[in-house]
Amino acid sequence: MSKQLKYQYSGTRDGKVKMYGTDDFLQPIYHKFGERFFQYRKDWDETGQGGTALRDFPLFLDIEPEYKCNLRCVTCPHQYGTKNPTYINNRMTPEDFRKICEEAGRYGMPAISVSNNNEGLMQKHLFDYIDAASSNGIMDIFVGTNAHLLTEEVSRKLIGSGLTRLLVSIDAATPETYQIMRKSEKFDLVIENTKTFKRLRDEMGESLPLLRVSMVVTSLNQHEEQAFRDMWTDVADIVSIQHYIPFKGEADAKDDLVPQDRPHLENPICTPLWQRMSIRANGDVIACCHLANKLKVGNVFESDIHTIWHGPEMSNIRRIHAEGRYKDISICKSCMS
């Protein structure tokens, strides 16, 4: 009998990100961490409803320990290689990553991604990063991948690592559209690797990491959205549908990839500014997870996260949003309009 993936919630207030899962898809993480995880999700949801009371420390950090990827997708600045204006040739050491996690642990931060705008499985020290997060009491640990390197050996290591969520980006339901979107002919490999991960997890008697597959909906693939959801209903724990946001962050610039009827609110507020920050391999702290990396608010190798979170740069961006003036910031206008 096929399971039913119901629309659970919008990952953003404007509906640009929608998550589909069973009613109890987070139950394995609740079971592992109990009341503390329940409180984290309550805090996240309350902030996500537009509450602007600032917490003492982020609930979530997106960390990009290395800026590397083995694909050149049309929705991503990695398509430009080293000519990408956000390119940096840095690798965060396990020691530096652990220091970040130690500070986060002191404040009880509940969640972290050990990859951001990069291919998680290309990271030399990936399992050191996961261990640093887990050993400092961070519960919900994410890594993102395109699944090209998701071999059986890697899958087994991930399943036993403390990781709670594996995020697989696919963007297509057919090889033809995959090639257009991701400039790769390895669609079948990606499907096989992703399904093998789920099979191995079941055979090992584990329920974690949760498997999320995602599609970034553009004008090039929006005709396959329903087919994509259908093909993963019996495999993935979560199916994520994300409407494309222009990655250059240039307000009013024409981008033919923007899909028809992209959702938006008349008076939006960017709740992630009250929930999370991003950290790049060179230590730069970015106010949000936008791929353009334009809103630098500090550097974690020069100041601690708590100070940056409460600092003047981050506070000013929040104030502009709280006053409804997000269009004053070009990258925010590009993302939220």
Side-chain angles (χ1 to χ4, degrees):
M1 180 178 178
S2 296
K3 65 182 180 181
Q4 296 296 313
L5 294 185
K6 300 178 181 179
Y7 170 47
Q8 292 292 315
Y9 63 93
S10 175
T12 56
R13 292 185 71 226
D14 58 9
K16 289 189 179 74
V17 180
K18 292 183 178 181
M19 304 288 188
Y20 297 84
T22 58
D23 288 334
D24 59 350
F25 74 95
L26 286 177
Q27 191 61 38
I29 312 182
Y30 283 118
H31 180 75
K32 182 175 182 178
F33 295 106
E35 178 63 26
R36 185 174 167 231
F37 185 79
F38 178 84
Q39 185 61 49
Y40 154 52
R41 295 312 306 173
K42 181 181 178 183
D43 292 342
W44 183 272
D45 290 343
E46 288 177 352
T47 307
Q49 292 302 312
T52 55
L54 184 63
R55 302 183 185 280
D56 195 37
F57 202 81
L59 291 169
F60 189 99
L61 287 174
D62 282 296
I63 304 185
E64 174 195 280
E66 296 182 49
Y67 192 69
K68 285 184 175 181
C69 191
N70 51 352
L71 291 184
R72 297 292 181 262
C73 304
V74 298
T75 57
C76 179
H78 275 293
Q79 66 183 283
Y80 301 116
T82 58
K83 295 181 180 180
N84 166 18
T86 68
Y87 175 80
I88 55 173
N89 185 24
N90 297 73
R91 174 188 290 161
M92 190 177 290
T93 67
E95 293 75 22
D96 285 335
F97 192 95
R98 187 169 290 275
K99 288 178 183 177
I100 293 170
C101 292
E102 287 171 353
E103 181 185 358
R106 290 194 295 272
Y107 286 94
M109 189 187 77
I112 195 169
S113 176
V114 298
S115 62
N116 189 16
N117 183 26
N118 63 318
E119 168 50 44
L121 300 188
M122 291 183 73
Q123 297 176 148
K124 179 179 180 181
H125 302 297
L126 173 62
F127 292 96
D128 294 320
Y129 302 147
I130 294 172
D131 177 71
S134 180
S135 63
N136 280 284
I138 300 173
M139 296 180 289
D140 207 1
I141 305 172
F142 298 57
V143 69
T145 180
N146 54 42
H148 282 233
L149 303 177
L150 189 62
T151 63
E152 285 201 23
E153 179 183 3
V154 171
S155 289
R156 290 182 186 278
K157 289 182 69 176
L158 289 171
I159 292 165
S161 67
L163 188 72
T164 55
R165 306 202 204 198
L166 182 68
L167 316 181
V168 181
S169 300
I170 302 175
D171 295 343
T174 63
E176 295 77 16
T177 300
Y178 187 82
Q179 200 284 326
I180 292 170
M181 290 290 298
R182 314 220 105 199
K183 304 301 181 184
S184 169
E185 297 180 352
K186 295 185 177 181
F187 177 79
D188 291 339
L189 175 68
V190 168
I191 304 306
E192 178 183 355
N193 286 352
T194 305
K195 290 183 176 181
T196 297
F197 169 84
K198 176 60 162 51
R199 174 179 59 79
L200 290 172
R201 193 190 74 182
D202 293 346
E203 290 176 356
M204 294 168 68
E206 300 290 345
S207 55
L208 295 173
L210 297 178
L211 173 63
R212 190 195 85 179
V213 297
S214 65
M215 167 184 270
V216 175
V217 177
T218 72
S219 60
L220 301 175
N221 67 351
Q222 62 186 138
H223 61 288
E224 291 189 359
E225 178 181 339
Q226 186 60 52
F228 182 83
R229 287 170 51 190
D230 291 344
M231 75 183 292
W232 291 106
T233 293
D234 291 326
V235 180
D237 301 296
I238 310 157
V239 176
S240 174
I241 303 297
Q242 308 167 20
H243 283 77
Y244 170 71
I245 294 172
F247 62 82
K248 293 182 180 180
E250 299 171 353
D252 303 319
K254 181 176 173 55
D255 192 323
D256 292 335
L257 291 179
V258 175
Q260 293 180 353
D261 302 321
R262 188 178 75 156
H264 71 279
L265 294 175
E266 289 301 320
N267 298 295
I269 184 169
C270 181
T271 54
L273 293 171
W274 282 263
Q275 294 169 326
R276 63 203 287 178
M277 293 191 299
S278 298
I279 302 176
R280 305 203 68 198
N282 62 359
D284 283 351
V285 181
I286 311 299
C288 70
C289 58
H290 195 288
L291 300 184
N293 291 310
K294 290 185 176 181
L295 295 181
K296 179 181 175 180
V297 293
N299 187 287
V300 76
F301 300 145
E302 299 170 2
S303 181
D304 60 74
I305 299 166
H306 184 269
T307 298
I308 296 170
W309 179 247
H310 292 275
E313 295 87 354
M314 194 73 187
S315 297
N316 184 54
I317 296 170
R318 291 194 194 100
R319 178 179 56 80
I320 290 171
H321 276 259
E323 294 172 354
R325 297 189 294 110
Y326 72 93
K327 291 182 180 180
D328 291 357
I329 304 174
S330 178
I331 189 172
C332 300
K333 182 179 179 181
S334 168
C335 176
M336 300 174 68
S337 295

